[in-house]
Amino acid sequence: LLNICYISINTIDFAEKKNKIVISKKGFKMRIIAGQKRGTKLYTLEGKTTRPTLDRVKESLFNIIQNEIINSNFLDVFSGSGAIGLEAASRGAKKVILCDKSKEAINIINKNIEKTHLKEKVELYNLDYETLLKTKIKEKMDIIYIDPPYDSDFAIKSVEHIINQKLIDENSTIIIETDNEGKILEELRK
């Protein structure tokens, strides 16, 4: 019923919309890789609380969903630096909603929004994911990207809230970045 892509750190057949995630080293520089703002370097968060997605992984992800991005409503639930959502905006998403509960992340996202000049396409919320999904989203989302902290149940809870709040339809795509694909799949089947 739902289109769900899983990105896992396990090696997976890419033809099944999966890829290998490589955890980046400190000092990793991110950039917008395609679209209007191609090549724009982005600010990143320091520390171990976020995991920047490597350019090659981001490019692979966007190659999978490229035909769905133009004029889409794109939601990035655990935004970190905002790189994934800003990539979607650069590639033609109509509206991008970014959310992170960390004030440090919000400061970095604001800097990246300013640097990319994509403010007119972006809504930014400094909220926890449950508050965002229960109270702030009023329209259907075409693409939802969920990259929660590993070793949490936030991915499953996010999907439950998304379904309960009717934020998707049969054409929507949910992308979950995880280090435990088996657990996520098992929980979603319940």
Side-chain angles (χ1 to χ4, degrees):
L1 200 65
L2 296 175
N3 298 316
I4 300 181
C5 299
Y6 300 93
I7 300 176
S8 176
I9 61 170
N10 301 320
T11 303
I12 297 169
D13 180 11
F14 190 70
E16 293 182 38
K17 296 187 177 185
K18 301 171 186 175
N19 197 7
K20 182 178 179 180
I21 299 297
V22 178
I23 304 303
S24 63
K25 306 241 185 305
K26 189 175 180 179
F28 171 75
K29 303 294 182 211
M30 290 189 301
R31 64 186 173 91
I32 301 292
I33 56 176
Q36 284 182 314
K37 306 302 176 179
R38 180 181 180 182
T40 304
K41 292 182 179 160
L42 299 175
Y43 297 102
T44 60
L45 285 161
E46 295 295 324
K48 297 180 181 183
T49 57
T50 61
R51 302 169 316 277
T53 302
L54 293 172
D55 281 355
R56 67 176 182 231
V57 174
K58 187 168 39 170
E59 186 171 13
S60 296
L61 167 65
F62 279 92
N63 284 342
I64 293 169
I65 61 172
Q66 68 184 346
N67 295 330
E68 301 171 45
I69 295 173
I70 302 295
N71 294 320
S72 67
N73 289 326
F74 189 102
L75 171 61
D76 182 354
V77 183
F78 301 89
S79 298
S81 67
I84 298 294
L86 293 171
E87 184 74 36
S90 177
R91 291 175 181 242
K94 174 177 59 180
K95 179 178 185 177
V96 174
I97 299 174
L98 303 175
C99 179
D100 206 290
K101 72 176 186 176
S102 162
K103 290 190 187 311
E104 294 82 14
I106 294 300
N107 289 337
I108 292 294
I109 294 168
N110 272 319
K111 287 181 180 181
N112 286 333
I113 292 169
E114 186 177 314
K115 190 168 187 179
T116 58
H117 306 286
L118 291 168
K119 186 172 180 67
E120 70 282 352
K121 291 185 168 191
V122 177
E123 284 182 23
L124 177 59
Y125 294 96
N126 185 194
L127 298 169
D128 67 276
Y129 74 98
E130 291 177 302
T131 302
L132 172 84
L133 296 172
K134 289 179 180 178
T135 66
K136 298 297 180 183
I137 312 292
K138 302 300 180 201
E139 66 264 273
K140 298 276 190 252
M141 293 289 109
D142 299 303
I143 303 169
I144 300 176
Y145 181 77
I146 303 170
D147 183 10
Y150 289 164
D151 296 324
S152 75
D153 61 352
F154 296 165
I156 299 302
K157 286 184 177 181
S158 294
V159 172
E160 290 171 355
H161 290 307
I162 289 163
I163 292 169
N164 291 338
Q165 297 298 317
K166 299 177 175 42
L167 301 179
I168 54 173
D169 61 26
E170 65 277 358
N171 297 312
S172 298
T173 299
I174 297 174
I175 302 159
I176 300 171
E177 186 167 338
T178 180
D179 66 339
N180 194 343
E181 177 190 3
K183 178 183 174 188
I184 299 287
L185 287 170
E186 182 181 316
E187 290 294 319
L188 286 174
R189 287 185 184 120
K190 290 182 181 178

